[in-house]
C-alpha cells in the first residue's frame, strides 16, 4: 500500500457521518471487495497517531484529503 492509503480510506469512511471502529473497518472491507482487511489494532493506532498532529495541520490538510 502507498503511504497514506489507510488514512484516506478511514477519512472517506467518516466523510458522511461519524462511525465506530467496526463500521469503519466494515466500510473499508466492502469498498475494497475484501482485498483490504483492517484489524482493530491498526485502526486504533491510526487514531492515536492523530494526537501527534498539530490541530492547524488537521484543519489545513483534511479538506484536501477528502
Amino acid at each position: 500500500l502507498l503511504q497514506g492509503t489507510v488514512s484516506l480510506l478511514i477519512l472517506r469512511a467518516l466523510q458522511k457521518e461519524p462511525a465506530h471502529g467496526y463500521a469503519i473497518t466494515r466500510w473499508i472491507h466492502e469498498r475494497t471487495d475484501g482485498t483490504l482487511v483492517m484489524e482493530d489494532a491498526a485502526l486504533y493506532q491510526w487514531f492515536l497517531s492523530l494526537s501527534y498532529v498539530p490541530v492547524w495541520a488537521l484543519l489545513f490538510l483534511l479538506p484536501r484529503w477528502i
Side-chain angles (χ1 to χ4, degrees):
L1 288 176
L2 295 174
Q3 184 176 2
T5 303
V6 174
S7 296
L8 183 61
L9 286 170
I10 293 170
L11 291 173
R12 292 282 300 191
L14 295 171
Q15 186 175 5
K16 290 186 179 183
E17 61 187 3
H20 51 80
Y22 178 75
I24 295 170
T25 57
R26 186 80 179 150
W27 186 92
I28 291 172
H29 182 73
E30 290 172 1
R31 293 303 182 275
T32 61
D33 295 325
T35 303
L36 183 62
V37 178
M38 178 173 286
E39 296 193 18
D40 295 337
L43 186 63
Y44 181 70
Q45 288 176 352
W46 183 84
F47 281 119
L48 282 179
S49 71
L50 287 181
S51 64
Y52 299 109
V53 177
V55 174
W56 66 266
L58 288 175
L59 294 174
F60 179 76
L61 294 173
L62 281 178
R64 286 164 175 74
W65 287 344
I66 296 176

